[in-house]
Amino acid sequence: MDRQGSILSTLSDFDILDGVPDQHVECGKVSATGDGVVVPLGVGHEYLHPNREIFVKISVRETHGFAADVLPGSSRLYDIECSHHGYKWRIVRKYSHFEELHRSLRLYRASLFIGVTPNTKTTTVSLPPKEKRADAQPMRRKVGRVQRKVSLRFPNKPEIFISSPTQVERRRRRLEEYLNAVLKDPTYRTHESTMRFLEISKLSFAKNRGEKFHEGYILKRSGGRKFSTLLSCFQPTAAVWNKRWLVLKDSYVCYLRHNQEIADVMLFDQDFYEVKRGLASTRIKHGLIITNTVRELALKTTSHHKRDNWVLAITQVAESCEYTAPTPHASFAPQRKELAHWYVDAASYFADVASALENAQEEIFITDWWMSPELFLRRPVVHMNDPSRLDKILLRKAVVVCTFLLHFL
């Protein structure tokens, strides 16, 4: 047997990751004999739609180059098509990314059984009191055996040993089975590593926030605003690079802080130019620059592959965005039909305003120089407390919508 064959014979095909039992066995600081067991909830329970599963389908794409010739399989890419509650998106991963996810989940499972609970929200699973159970010690062992969830089988053979088409197809199928098993486990499904692997954040499935596109961590350079202070003259020498979660939507790019709060939003407009990339254009290794009317956003990735994926995704979305297309009279908004109405007098105007306020479902924005809250929006007026009075309408809608008032003095 040759050297490669001897190495392969010593490698296990799978690395087993057991599921987290519904009721923990007594181990370290975690016990099944108390009033309850603390089960950490991952961040994903706030991002995903309840009672909706995530489905994935994996395909293999071979890339060619010097690295692929020297180390077969090192440049192999896995295209993952994901779907969740009507949203569909596509991500590209290497085998090393699957390994990183598996290591994170193994560490997470180990932390549960040694009593090291992550800094996440928790829920309590009630257990029967000890005095009501006969023969408590055998009961704990029985719970551990019976209620243990299905193990997750991760294919851990290195990629350099996967070369033939049959082996590649087997690896693809096993990775797909492993990832689907992770997403069916309620504990691993909502873990932060799983969310990061699938490019899911707080804005991914938010209502009325557009379709889901590319997301991920990236380095952002501070500054870049075209109408900033005198400190902008020291850019980029005095710039600070911060790690942010970048989100691409159908009409804008935004980035989130580590607490998933929105830090800033950059809209696509007619001054959006071609995304710059390359060291000669950006003076940033593995960097790219996005430009619109008010800002020049400089970003940096860890490899040219990630940079090219961001450039391709942003360019495709920006080209299909209606706000980047030329408009008559250099207007910032695209030309639309049948969305404007001419009013001859105020009677029909105020009646339509009353209807718009009453039909509001989320937010109401009002700006005025001199607003009288006792303005009757529909005529004729029946009595002074007529329900069509402005303050009466806003009082009723304040129960279900958020109202903003900008009053110029």
Side-chain angles (χ1 to χ4, degrees):
M1 182 180 297
D2 57 3
R3 185 169 182 270
Q4 180 177 348
S6 62
I7 295 176
L8 288 175
S9 62
T10 60
L11 293 175
S12 174
D13 289 339
F14 295 99
D15 184 22
I16 305 301
L17 175 62
D18 293 330
V20 178
D22 292 331
Q23 296 175 346
H24 293 292
V25 185
E26 185 175 23
C27 179
K29 298 181 180 179
V30 182
S31 174
T33 61
D35 295 333
V37 175
V38 176
V39 180
L41 295 177
V43 296
H45 79 282
E46 299 178 352
Y47 308 156
L48 303 176
H49 288 273
N51 303 323
R52 300 286 184 173
E53 294 187 1
I54 304 177
F55 300 95
V56 296
K57 185 177 181 181
I58 301 179
S59 59
V60 183
R61 174 159 48 99
E62 298 285 353
T63 59
H64 303 282
F66 177 77
D69 297 336
V70 176
L71 296 175
S74 60
S75 300
R76 184 176 298 127
L77 300 178
Y78 295 92
D79 295 326
I80 308 176
E81 297 180 0
C82 310
S83 60
H84 173 67
H85 193 56
Y87 292 87
K88 295 182 179 181
W89 70 101
R90 175 178 167 272
I91 58 178
V92 180
R93 292 290 182 264
K94 289 185 176 181
Y95 177 74
S96 59
H97 298 128
F98 286 90
E99 287 183 311
E100 182 181 355
L101 171 64
H102 185 65
R103 285 194 299 267
S104 299
L105 296 181
R106 284 181 63 88
L107 180 62
Y108 172 67
R109 184 181 185 277
S111 67
L112 294 179
F113 283 86
I114 64 176
V116 181
T117 56
N119 187 19
T120 56
K121 294 184 178 181
T122 59
T123 184
T124 301
V125 180
S126 299
L127 297 178
K130 181 176 180 179
E131 59 271 10
K132 294 183 180 180
R133 299 190 314 224
D135 196 11
Q137 185 67 22
M139 172 67 71
R140 290 198 295 272
R141 291 197 296 268
K142 182 177 180 181
V143 168
R145 291 196 304 270
V146 175
Q147 295 193 354
R148 184 178 298 278
K149 296 185 179 180
V150 179
S151 301
L152 308 181
R153 293 158 54 90
F154 178 74
N156 63 346
K157 187 175 293 185
E159 280 283 271
I160 58 175
F161 299 135
I162 308 297
S163 56
S164 66
T166 304
Q167 292 176 327
V168 173
E169 173 59 25
R170 187 184 300 117
R171 167 59 57 87
R172 182 207 65 80
R173 186 178 67 254
R174 289 176 176 177
L175 286 177
E176 184 176 297
E177 293 173 354
Y178 169 80
L179 191 54
N180 278 304
V182 168
L183 296 177
K184 289 181 181 179
D185 189 293
T187 305
Y188 298 141
R189 177 176 183 255
T190 59
H191 191 260
E192 182 180 2
S193 299
T194 308
M195 297 293 98
R196 184 169 61 248
F197 180 87
L198 297 176
E199 298 182 359
I200 296 177
S201 67
K202 183 178 181 180
L203 295 181
S204 297
F205 313 116
K207 185 179 179 182
N208 298 329
R209 294 299 183 266
E211 300 181 20
K212 182 181 178 356
F213 294 101
H214 196 22
E215 300 184 29
Y217 277 116
I218 200 168
L219 291 177
K220 178 199 70 70
R221 189 172 68 189
S222 61
R225 303 183 185 277
K226 298 181 180 180
F227 306 100
S228 58
T229 62
L230 294 176
L231 293 177
S232 61
C233 63
F234 296 101
Q235 300 290 344
T237 57
V240 177
W241 292 93
N242 297 306
K243 188 177 181 180
R244 296 289 183 260
W245 182 270
L246 192 66
V247 180
L248 174 62
K249 287 295 186 177
D250 50 7
S251 61
Y252 61 91
V253 173
C254 69
Y255 51 90
L256 313 178
R257 297 187 178 92
H258 294 287
N259 58 0
Q260 291 291 305
E261 295 296 329
I262 299 178
D264 201 358
V265 178
M266 186 173 181
L267 302 175
F268 292 146
D269 54 26
Q270 295 183 24
D271 288 337
F272 177 85
Y273 307 115
E274 180 180 1
V275 181
K276 297 180 182 179
R277 62 176 167 180
L279 188 60
S281 301
T282 63
R283 299 182 181 179
I284 306 171
K285 185 179 180 180
H286 307 318
L288 62 148
I289 294 180
I290 312 172
T291 306
N292 69 351
T293 304
V294 298
R295 188 173 186 180
E296 184 179 81
L297 181 62
L299 307 169
K300 181 166 61 175
T301 63
T302 56
S303 66
H304 67 278
H305 293 292
K306 293 183 179 180
R307 178 203 62 195
D308 294 342
N309 289 336
W310 274 110
V311 172
L312 179 61
I314 295 174
T315 302
Q316 290 179 346
V317 174
E319 290 177 350
S320 60
C321 180
E322 59 181 355
Y323 292 98
T324 59
T327 57
H329 314 293
S331 173
F332 75 94
Q335 187 176 10
R336 299 183 177 94
K337 297 180 179 180
E338 300 179 356
L339 291 181
H341 181 75
W342 291 99
Y343 292 98
V344 178
D345 53 31
S348 57
Y349 167 76
F350 283 125
D352 289 347
V353 169
S355 300
L357 294 175
E358 292 172 345
N359 294 330
Q361 299 180 358
E362 294 184 5
E363 297 172 333
I364 295 176
F365 294 88
I366 299 178
T367 177
D368 199 354
W369 287 99
W370 186 6
M371 187 185 72
S372 174
E374 297 180 352
L375 177 65
F376 294 96
L377 300 181
R378 289 193 177 97
R379 307 297 175 89
V381 178
V382 179
H383 49 80
M384 291 301 298
N385 291 325
D386 192 272
S388 66
R389 206 171 73 179
L390 178 59
D391 57 346
K392 302 296 182 181
I393 296 179
L394 295 179
L395 186 62
R396 293 195 304 268
K397 299 301 295 185
V399 181
V400 293
V401 302
C402 184
T403 303
F404 299 90
L405 175 60
L406 179 60
H407 196 188
F408 292 95
L409 299 178

